[in-house]
Every structure is written in structure tokens, then in C-alpha cells.
Amino acid sequence: MPDPDLPDAAARELYRAILAEGGRIRVGEVRPEDEAAVQQLADLGLLVLRTADGTYSAVNPRAVGERIGADLREESARLLARAAAVPDLLDDLTQAYDTAPRRAASGGGVRRVAGLEQIRHLIGQFVRDHPHGLLAAQPGPVHPRAHRDDSLAHTRRYIERGGTVRTLYGPQARSDREHFEFAAEATKAGSQVRVLDAPFNRIIIFDRTVALLPAAPENKVAAVVEDPAVVAHLADVFDQQWQQAEVVDWASLAAGSSPSAQEQVGRLLARGLTQRAIATRLGLSERTVAGHIARLRELYDAETLFQLGWQMRGSRDA
């Protein structure tokens, strides 16, 4: 790349041609294609315009070189002085950096997002970018009422565009009206919603590619996991929990036709829960649960509790 302070090839050739003609060229003799070269030589001081006779005269390049060299040395000295002053000019920022607390850099495909609005915005972005499958585990409260209609609308649009939605709720969803009404609307739109009695963590997984999970109390900070191996593991855990979860007739719950206590005892018994665990789960006394089990044994003609659970499990699977 030619130096901007030195003549290019065309200007050099023209300068030699002018020297060959005695070191002068009339303004009127400059060809249009040479005007740029003439201007460059004039700007550098290698040609001087003499207005008295309207000619350009060639100047000794040695004098021009000395002048350009002097200008460059002066500019270099100025730049060196500025370079030497830079550390002092940034001294206050350097001290601030040295004394600031260090936060570990995120790695392994994990980053943090703070603020509920930022998290909601990120979820909307992920829904658009990953339109095929959404896995959501929500053990706590359902969507706030202020965002319920928006959440249902997003669910409907996601499914209408060909996506699938699977959601896990905690056991309180069966008895909480907001939970089962929301689940009824979601399932009506094509979503699948099950209840898992075992403890599990809140998480949303988009297309088995990226996962979003809480990183602070009240879900005000979220961790975004994009490491493929970690996301695959989280999706596998969700699949295992999904297989353990119970299918619920949300429409019946929302309509007010909830299963009887005996039916609930039978469902939990078929899943392998003990009499004490069922009593705790349903908030009943063990004697009441024992009464329901006795009537179920008569209904299924089962001699033992194990046999009853086995027969009810087979009936439920069928």
C-alpha cells in the first residue's frame, strides 16, 4: 500500500516526464487524465504553480523529503509524548479495576439474566427461536393472574405453529382452582399437563437446546444453560419425571366434578403409596383411609393390600 505522504506510481511517472521537458509544464497542457497526479505532486510540494506565466515548476525532491521527514519526526515525537502520558491518564481507572471485587466469569455454556421483565423477554425470544418442543416443570404457584391470559395466548400460538408443550405441576395443582383452571385451558389448547407428587425443580427447556432455571429466590434471576451435554441431561431428568407423573382430568376438575376421596385413595394406592403416605397426601386420618381401602378390596375382590394395588395398577394402565 503506497504511503499517503509520498507520490504514487502515476504521479512519479508524470514528475519524470516533466523533468524530461525541462522541469516545467503549462497549466493548459495538463491532460485531464493527469490532473489528479498534478494535484498530488502540488500538494506534496514537488510542483509549484507560478501564476506569472501559468506554469508548474518541478522542485528538488531532496528538499521536499527533508521537509516531510521533519514533519514526520515532529508528529512521532508528539505521539510518543501522548503514549507516555496514557498510563497516568488512566491511573484512576486502573486503581478502580485493581480494587474492584471479582465475579467469576460464567462458563460452560451458562449465563445469568436478572429482572422479571428481562426473564419474560428472554422466554419470548426462546419461544420464537425454538418453536418445536417446550418442557416446563413448575412445582410452585401458577402464572400470576395478571399474566395468565398472555401465557395461555402464547401457549395456543406455540401449539398452532406445530410445537408441543408438556408441563409438570406439583400436587397442590389438583386442589388450587387457579392451577386446575389454567391447566384445563392449556390442555384444551393441546398442551399436556401432569402432576408429580415427588419433589422437583422449576425449569423450562426449549427444543432440548437451551434451559432456563431459577438462580435466586422469587425467580428474579435466571440461569440460562446452553451447554449441550447439560441440557441433554436436564431433558432426560424431565422425561423420567414425566413418566412418573399422573395424568389428571383437568376439565372435570374445572367443571367441579372432582374425584371422590375413595377414587383418590385408589389412584394413590395404584401408584404404590402406603396407607400412611396416602393419609398425609390427602389430609385424611389413617382410619378413614383404611375404610376406603377396605371397600376397594371388596370392590376388586383382593385378599391383600399388595394384590389390591397390583389389580388397581393394572386397571389404571388399561
Side-chain angles (χ1 to χ4, degrees):
M1 181 177 179
D3 193 312
D5 292 323
L6 297 177
D8 59 21
R12 289 169 181 270
E13 183 179 353
L14 179 62
Y15 184 81
R16 293 191 182 94
I18 293 173
L19 291 179
E21 295 295 326
R24 290 190 179 186
I25 183 174
R26 294 184 179 277
V27 173
E29 295 175 350
V30 176
R31 299 177 300 176
E33 59 268 28
D34 291 334
E35 288 180 356
V38 168
Q39 187 62 50
Q40 185 183 34
L41 292 171
D43 290 342
L44 289 171
L46 289 169
L47 290 181
V48 175
L49 177 61
R50 300 183 184 278
T51 56
D53 55 4
T55 61
Y56 284 105
S57 298
V59 176
N60 188 340
R62 186 176 292 105
V64 174
E66 290 177 355
R67 177 179 56 78
I68 293 176
D71 291 344
L72 289 174
R73 286 191 293 273
E74 182 179 346
E75 178 66 13
S76 297
R78 187 179 66 82
L79 291 174
L80 287 172
R82 286 188 61 190
V86 166
D88 292 336
L89 294 174
L90 296 178
D91 182 63
D92 59 327
L93 299 182
T94 303
Q95 292 182 22
Y97 179 87
D98 291 340
T99 58
R102 293 291 182 266
R103 177 181 296 174
S106 61
V110 179
R111 56 191 172 95
R112 290 163 61 91
V113 178
L116 295 178
E117 289 301 323
Q118 290 294 327
I119 294 172
R120 280 195 284 268
H121 174 76
L122 190 64
I123 291 174
Q125 178 183 331
F126 285 158
V127 166
R128 291 190 300 270
D129 294 344
H130 304 280
H132 305 297
L134 191 152
L135 310 176
Q138 300 185 33
V142 75
H143 305 275
R145 183 171 292 277
H147 303 293
R148 176 176 168 178
D149 292 341
D150 285 344
S151 298
L152 284 172
H154 290 316
T155 299
R156 292 190 185 100
R157 283 197 295 269
Y158 192 84
I159 294 173
E160 288 170 358
R161 294 169 182 168
T164 61
V165 179
R166 288 192 287 159
T167 303
L168 286 174
Y169 279 157
Q172 79 279 5
R174 296 191 195 90
S175 56
D176 181 77
R177 176 159 293 277
E178 288 194 358
H179 258 98
F180 59 66
E181 285 183 349
F182 183 89
E185 292 295 326
T187 52
K188 187 186 299 183
S191 177
Q192 300 179 63
V193 184
R194 293 186 180 181
V195 169
L196 181 63
D197 283 334
F200 62 97
N201 297 319
R202 182 182 298 272
I203 190 171
I204 308 177
I205 304 173
F206 305 86
D207 276 357
R208 297 179 179 268
T209 301
V210 58
L212 191 72
L213 58 158
E218 300 181 6
N219 304 317
K220 292 184 178 180
V221 179
V224 181
V225 182
E226 296 174 296
D227 182 270
V230 176
V231 175
H233 171 71
L234 294 173
D236 288 343
V237 171
F238 182 94
D239 289 338
Q240 295 170 18
Q241 294 172 332
W242 182 260
Q243 293 302 319
Q244 299 168 8
E246 178 186 351
V247 177
V248 177
D249 187 350
W250 299 107
S252 296
L253 281 176
S257 54
S258 57
S260 65
Q262 181 171 304
E263 290 174 328
Q264 293 184 61
V265 169
R267 290 179 181 179
L268 297 176
L269 189 65
R271 296 180 58 199
L273 273 70
T274 65
Q275 178 175 305
R276 176 171 295 181
I278 294 172
T280 302
R281 166 69 183 82
L282 297 179
L284 303 174
S285 68
E286 289 193 50
R287 177 175 296 182
T288 301
V289 173
H292 289 309
I293 291 176
R295 286 187 287 274
L296 288 169
R297 286 175 61 180
E298 292 178 7
L299 179 64
Y300 282 87
D301 193 22
E303 295 182 1
T304 65
L305 193 61
F306 176 79
Q307 186 180 5
L308 175 60
W310 181 268
Q311 290 180 233
M312 293 196 66
R313 189 176 299 111
S315 175
R316 186 191 69 169
D317 292 342

